[in-house]
Each structure stands twice: as C-alpha cells, then as structure tokens.
Amino acid sequence: MQIFTNPAEMAAQCRQWHRDGDDIALVPTMGYYHAGHESLMDWGRQQAKRLVVSLFVNPTQFGPAEDLAAYPRDFERDSAIAASHGADALFAPAPEDMYAPDHATWVEAPALAAGLCGKSRPIHFRGVCTVVLKLLAITGADVAVFGQKDWQQQAIIRRMVRDLNLPVRIDARPTARAEDGLALSSRNVYMTESERAQAPHIRKGLLLARDMAAAGERDGEKLRQAVLAYWSGQMPLGKIDYLSMVHPESIEPLARIEDRALLACAVQLGKSRLIDNILLAE
C-alpha cells in the first residue's frame, strides 16, 4: 500500500491507474477505524481493480463548538488496517493541502441539509459536500462507498453527484453494529460505562417503530411518541437532538407513511452524539 499526503501526487497515481485500464473505488473516511470502516473497504475492494482509502479529519464540517481537536486519531493503526483490507493507496493529506488560506469555493445542497443533522449543525453538510467533491476530483473514482448510518449524508452526496453530472457511482452499505445493536462510530469511545449501557436502546426504540409500522400504524407522530416514551424509560441519560420521519431520498418531513419512509435520530449521550435510522417502508 502506498501512502500519499500530496493531492497532486495522489491524482497523478490515479490518472496512471486509469491509463492502465484500472477502475478505482474510493472509501472516504475520517479515520479511527472500526468494523464499519473495514466493511466499507472490503466492499470497495470487490468493486474495482484499485482501492483508495482517504483518511482526513475534515475541519470544514465541524462547527466552532464541536470536537475537531478531540476527534480520535491513530494513524499507525489506521494505516495498518487499510493495508490489511487491500487498499492500494491511503490518501492522508493535511488540512493546508486541501484548503488554501483564501479558500472561497463551497458546494452544498441546502434543501436536503436543512433538517435532521443539518438543523443543529448548519455548516456540516457544506463541508461534507465540498470535501467529497475534492476527493472525487483528486481520485477520479469510479465508485465511492459510504455507510447508511449517515443516511442524510449519502442522500446529499447522491444529489450532488446527480446535479453536477459526476461520473461516479455512489454505493451505500448497511450500518455495522455491535452485538447489542448499537451503530458503530468512532465517537463511541467518548461514552462512559453507564452511557454505553443505555446506548443500545437507540436501536431498540427504532425497531419498536418499525414493528408498529409493519402492524399497520401510518401516523408519524404516533410512531415518534412511542419511541420517545420508550427512550424516556430506558435511556434517561440520553438527550434527544431529533427524531424525525422523512422521505429517504428528498429528506423532506413526512406526517404519514404513504410510500417510502425513514425514521432518523440523533441522541446525545454524554460527549457522544450518536445517529441512527431505520426504514419503516421501502
């Protein structure tokens, strides 16, 4: 596995691979790898001749009061994991290599970013869109792989790719989970023992809503209230950022399940902001 820190050198290698007839899969990450990242790498490895894993804690998607400085990092461990999962290249630039001091160009999809995570993190998806477009431009990836835990993120990236006619396929892979159902996240390490013990109830509450929908319940507010009541009893340490039923593609709020519906949430447990979602109808 080659390690690149310079965007121009990474781009030159990717152009050479394309000249050789090799297609490229990209797995964008912020590092501190867990089994979810590994599953994305394994999928990318199957999709193309060459696998590029990016490792970049993108400063433009963090708000001023968020955890940019504290975000967990372990480059040596991460590089070894990427190599063991078949990466041909690890792209790990410094922030100054990705953003000039007078950087002034941004990419965003405001309508899709207005709700869910975007409501409490207003600059987040602008930073995500911009850095993903940069990574796609640098690597010329034929396919890029994301996880479904960040559902709003992959929906926004799909829209960006469609609207800008980018020649790349976006693959979204199922959320990797611990045995107790908690969605894996690099930020899970922030939790105390008592917070971690309550965290699986996030998923259990969403499963309750899915069971109610399967039994015929179509009213979004009734589903929300049932989940909130469950969380109140089982997850008292949790502070609910949002619990919303939306269309899985447009991310528009839904009052009732008519066709496709996604129930998405963000819960603060101590220092950990945990997101999850579940399809109620597909």
Side-chain angles (χ1 to χ4, degrees):
M1 183 184 75
Q2 302 179 74
I3 297 176
F4 294 88
T5 59
N6 182 281
E9 293 175 2
M10 182 76 261
Q13 177 61 80
C14 291
R15 288 195 299 270
Q16 183 60 56
W17 282 333
H18 275 147
R19 284 193 293 268
D20 293 341
D22 297 345
D23 53 356
I24 297 170
L26 170 68
V27 178
T29 81
M30 294 205 304
Y32 211 71
Y33 296 146
H34 51 65
H37 295 107
E38 294 174 28
S39 70
L40 300 182
M41 295 178 203
D42 291 342
W43 180 258
R45 177 72 278 168
Q46 298 172 36
Q47 303 308 304
K49 175 71 173 180
R50 300 293 183 176
L51 173 62
V52 177
V53 176
S54 67
L55 196 171
F56 181 58
V57 181
N58 176 36
T60 67
Q61 68 190 65
F62 287 78
E66 294 180 6
D67 60 342
L68 174 60
Y71 194 85
R73 295 164 169 87
D74 191 337
F75 180 80
E76 295 302 322
R77 174 180 171 275
D78 286 348
S79 60
I81 290 173
S84 71
H85 286 269
D88 295 283
L90 181 68
F91 178 46
E96 58 268 25
D97 294 322
M98 294 293 280
Y99 297 100
D102 58 348
H103 178 89
T105 304
W106 302 98
V107 184
E108 57 186 329
L112 276 72
L116 303 185
C117 286
K119 189 172 183 178
S120 60
R121 306 184 73 190
I123 68 167
H124 175 69
F125 290 114
R126 184 186 75 168
V128 168
C129 275
T130 301
V131 78
V132 170
L133 183 58
K134 283 173 169 282
L135 294 170
L136 293 174
I138 290 166
T139 63
D142 300 280
V143 57
V145 187
F146 298 86
Q148 290 181 346
K149 175 172 69 71
D150 300 287
W151 189 285
Q152 185 178 19
Q153 171 180 279
Q154 58 93 14
I156 289 171
I157 289 168
R158 287 183 189 279
R159 183 67 62 87
M160 176 185 74
V161 165
R162 187 203 74 179
D163 290 354
L164 299 182
N165 301 108
L166 302 180
V168 60
R169 185 179 89 238
I170 302 299
D171 281 1
R173 302 297 299 155
T175 301
R177 299 184 181 278
E179 290 186 6
D180 58 12
L182 177 65
L184 298 184
S185 169
S186 299
R187 290 185 169 98
N188 288 358
V189 298
Y190 297 161
M191 282 185 283
T192 65
E193 184 176 344
S194 57
E195 291 161 355
R196 178 61 182 84
Q198 292 186 19
H201 291 291
I202 297 174
R203 175 68 171 172
K204 291 177 181 178
L206 297 178
L207 288 170
L208 170 64
R210 188 181 68 179
D211 290 345
M212 290 175 62
E217 182 59 69
R218 290 293 178 264
D219 186 278
E221 188 58 23
K222 290 181 180 179
L223 293 170
R224 284 187 72 257
Q225 291 304 321
V227 176
L228 291 173
Y230 174 82
W231 284 346
S232 177
Q234 301 297 324
M235 194 173 58
L237 295 176
K239 180 181 178 182
I240 313 305
D241 183 352
Y242 66 81
L243 175 65
S244 303
M245 191 170 78
V246 299
H247 190 279
E249 292 178 8
S250 67
I251 315 298
E252 293 178 354
L254 296 175
R256 292 184 59 81
I257 300 175
E258 302 293 350
D259 184 11
R260 304 183 67 206
L262 179 85
L263 190 63
C265 68
V267 177
Q268 193 79 31
L269 274 169
K271 296 180 180 179
S272 297
R273 185 178 183 275
L274 308 177
I275 63 173
D276 207 343
N277 59 75
I278 196 165
L279 286 167
L280 303 179
E282 302 183 46

